[in-house]
Short mmCIF file of all heavy atoms in Angstrom, two decimals:
data_model
loop_
_atom_site.label_atom_id
_atom_site.label_comp_id
_atom_site.label_asym_id
_atom_site.label_seq_id
_atom_site.Cartn_x
_atom_site.Cartn_y
_atom_site.Cartn_z
N ALA A 148 16.51 69.86 -105.57
CA ALA A 148 17.21 69.70 -104.29
C ALA A 148 18.50 70.53 -104.26
O ALA A 148 18.80 71.18 -103.25
CB ALA A 148 17.53 68.22 -104.05
N LEU A 149 19.22 70.54 -105.37
CA LEU A 149 20.44 71.33 -105.46
C LEU A 149 20.13 72.82 -105.30
O LEU A 149 20.81 73.53 -104.55
CB LEU A 149 21.15 71.08 -106.79
CG LEU A 149 22.38 71.94 -107.07
CD1 LEU A 149 23.49 71.63 -106.08
CD2 LEU A 149 22.85 71.74 -108.51
N ALA A 150 19.10 73.30 -105.99
CA ALA A 150 18.71 74.72 -105.89
C ALA A 150 18.30 75.06 -104.46
O ALA A 150 18.65 76.13 -103.95
CB ALA A 150 17.56 75.02 -106.86
N PHE A 151 17.59 74.16 -103.80
CA PHE A 151 17.19 74.37 -102.41
C PHE A 151 18.41 74.54 -101.52
O PHE A 151 18.50 75.47 -100.73
CB PHE A 151 16.32 73.20 -101.94
CG PHE A 151 15.89 73.30 -100.51
CD1 PHE A 151 14.79 74.05 -100.16
CD2 PHE A 151 16.59 72.65 -99.50
CE1 PHE A 151 14.38 74.15 -98.83
CE2 PHE A 151 16.20 72.74 -98.18
CZ PHE A 151 15.09 73.49 -97.84
N VAL A 152 19.37 73.63 -101.65
CA VAL A 152 20.59 73.66 -100.82
C VAL A 152 21.39 74.94 -101.11
O VAL A 152 21.83 75.62 -100.19
CB VAL A 152 21.45 72.40 -101.07
CG1 VAL A 152 22.84 72.54 -100.47
CG2 VAL A 152 20.75 71.17 -100.50
N LEU A 153 21.54 75.27 -102.39
CA LEU A 153 22.30 76.47 -102.75
C LEU A 153 21.65 77.74 -102.20
O LEU A 153 22.32 78.65 -101.74
CB LEU A 153 22.45 76.58 -104.27
CG LEU A 153 23.37 75.55 -104.92
CD1 LEU A 153 23.29 75.66 -106.45
CD2 LEU A 153 24.80 75.70 -104.44
N TYR A 154 20.32 77.78 -102.24
CA TYR A 154 19.61 78.98 -101.79
C TYR A 154 19.62 79.11 -100.26
O TYR A 154 19.96 80.15 -99.72
CB TYR A 154 18.18 78.96 -102.31
CG TYR A 154 17.40 80.21 -101.95
CD1 TYR A 154 17.62 81.40 -102.62
CD2 TYR A 154 16.46 80.19 -100.92
CE1 TYR A 154 16.92 82.54 -102.28
CE2 TYR A 154 15.76 81.33 -100.58
CZ TYR A 154 15.99 82.50 -101.27
OH TYR A 154 15.30 83.64 -100.93
N PHE A 155 19.24 78.03 -99.57
CA PHE A 155 19.09 78.12 -98.12
C PHE A 155 20.38 78.01 -97.33
O PHE A 155 20.51 78.60 -96.27
CB PHE A 155 18.08 77.07 -97.61
CG PHE A 155 16.66 77.48 -97.85
CD1 PHE A 155 15.93 76.93 -98.89
CD2 PHE A 155 16.05 78.44 -97.06
CE1 PHE A 155 14.63 77.31 -99.13
CE2 PHE A 155 14.75 78.83 -97.29
CZ PHE A 155 14.03 78.27 -98.32
N PHE A 156 21.34 77.26 -97.83
CA PHE A 156 22.56 77.06 -97.05
C PHE A 156 23.75 77.88 -97.54
O PHE A 156 24.67 78.14 -96.78
CB PHE A 156 22.92 75.57 -97.01
CG PHE A 156 21.87 74.74 -96.33
CD1 PHE A 156 21.08 73.87 -97.06
CD2 PHE A 156 21.63 74.86 -94.97
CE1 PHE A 156 20.10 73.11 -96.45
CE2 PHE A 156 20.65 74.11 -94.34
CZ PHE A 156 19.88 73.23 -95.08
N PHE A 157 23.74 78.26 -98.82
CA PHE A 157 24.87 79.00 -99.37
C PHE A 157 24.48 80.39 -99.86
O PHE A 157 25.29 81.09 -100.43
CB PHE A 157 25.54 78.20 -100.49
CG PHE A 157 26.13 76.91 -100.01
CD1 PHE A 157 25.46 75.71 -100.19
CD2 PHE A 157 27.35 76.89 -99.34
CE1 PHE A 157 25.99 74.52 -99.73
CE2 PHE A 157 27.89 75.71 -98.89
CZ PHE A 157 27.21 74.52 -99.07
N ASN A 158 23.22 80.77 -99.65
CA ASN A 158 22.72 82.12 -99.97
C ASN A 158 23.02 82.53 -101.42
O ASN A 158 23.35 83.67 -101.70
CB ASN A 158 23.31 83.13 -98.99
CG ASN A 158 22.44 84.35 -98.86
OD1 ASN A 158 21.25 84.30 -99.17
ND2 ASN A 158 23.00 85.44 -98.41
N VAL A 159 22.88 81.58 -102.35
CA VAL A 159 23.09 81.86 -103.77
C VAL A 159 21.92 82.69 -104.28
O VAL A 159 20.76 82.43 -103.95
CB VAL A 159 23.24 80.55 -104.57
CG1 VAL A 159 23.31 80.82 -106.06
CG2 VAL A 159 24.48 79.79 -104.10
N SER A 160 22.20 83.69 -105.08
CA SER A 160 21.20 84.60 -105.62
C SER A 160 20.13 83.86 -106.43
O SER A 160 20.43 82.90 -107.15
CB SER A 160 21.89 85.63 -106.51
OG SER A 160 20.98 86.29 -107.33
#
Side-chain angles (χ1 to χ4, degrees):
L149 175 65
F151 178 83
V152 168
L153 290 173
Y154 183 76
F155 282 102
F156 298 110
F157 297 100
N158 205 21
V159 174
S160 164

